[in-house]
Amino acid sequence: QMCEKFTVCQNSMEMLLHNNLNLPKVTEEDGNFLTFLSFQDKCLRKISSSLYTFQTYLKYIQETFISENQNVESLSFSTEHLAHTLRQMVINPEEVIIPDAATQESLHTKLKSTKAWTEKITIHLILRDFTSFMEKTVRAVRYLKNTRSFSV
């Protein structure tokens, strides 16, 4: 929808130039995906922490992409619920990193300071990376569900 409505597409040079959002993702530091999954508790901690981090980005989208407010609000609620559920499955839930209010506010302020013309690109980048992260999360949860007795 973003691509059609605002002509913000994957190959946009502007979009590539402005991708300094530091969004959560599975990185090479985590090893390849199967190795990453072999450390089940670490995997759950990483996913849960990242989902909590995405909350600030989703709040920004909700405030900025007004026409989709209800959809983003639902997405944000579901993301928070999943983060909480996965956190409860970690051996030591207090090890899950939840950004504190000051960190959230600092990031939110940084996002709000983007120029109006890059707003759409920022929203697109957040949603694209969130989608990619959630695809990996679904695979991880399926893998963990098949190798460990828990229900999600």
Side-chain angles (χ1 to χ4, degrees):
Q1 283 181 335
M2 289 280 305
C3 189
E4 292 170 14
K5 275 186 178 180
F6 305 114
T7 61
V8 177
C9 300
Q10 291 287 4
N11 298 327
S12 169
M13 190 57 106
E14 285 179 85
M15 188 170 84
L16 297 174
L17 292 172
H18 293 36
N19 190 2
N20 60 353
L21 296 172
N22 197 26
L23 293 157
K25 57 187 75 174
V26 177
T27 64
E28 287 185 28
E29 293 171 1
D30 301 314
N32 69 45
F33 200 65
L34 293 176
T35 303
F36 179 64
L37 291 177
S38 68
F39 302 103
Q40 295 178 3
D41 198 62
K42 179 182 176 184
C43 177
L44 290 172
R45 257 192 334 268
K46 168 97 174 167
I47 292 170
S48 184
S49 295
S50 296
L51 290 171
Y52 280 115
T53 300
F54 265 114
Q55 286 301 109
T56 305
Y57 291 99
L58 294 175
K59 178 182 175 189
Y60 166 76
I61 293 173
Q62 188 175 353
E63 293 172 353
T64 309
F65 198 20
I66 304 299
S67 65
E68 295 296 324
N69 186 299
Q70 190 172 7
N71 290 334
V72 179
E73 184 177 0
S74 176
L75 179 64
S76 182
F77 176 79
S78 299
T79 301
E80 184 175 8
H81 179 71
L82 180 60
H84 178 74
T85 301
L86 294 177
R87 181 175 185 245
Q88 297 311 307
M89 297 166 68
V90 172
I91 294 168
N92 295 313
E94 57 280 349
E95 291 180 358
V96 171
I97 299 167
I98 301 173
D100 60 25
T103 302
Q104 290 178 14
E105 187 56 36
S106 173
L107 175 57
H108 190 258
T109 300
K110 178 184 171 191
L111 290 169
K112 291 297 272 184
S113 71
T114 59
K115 295 180 177 86
W117 64 276
T118 61
E119 219 171 55
K120 294 174 182 105
I121 293 168
T122 301
I123 290 170
H124 180 79
L125 289 170
I126 292 168
L127 291 174
R128 184 196 65 189
D129 284 12
F130 181 76
T131 300
S132 174
F133 184 84
M134 288 307 297
E135 288 169 353
K136 291 179 176 102
T137 296
V138 167
R139 280 185 284 194
V141 170
R142 281 187 187 146
Y143 175 84
L144 293 173
K145 188 174 182 183
N146 291 330
T147 60
R148 181 174 159 170
S149 59
F150 72 81
S151 58
V152 177

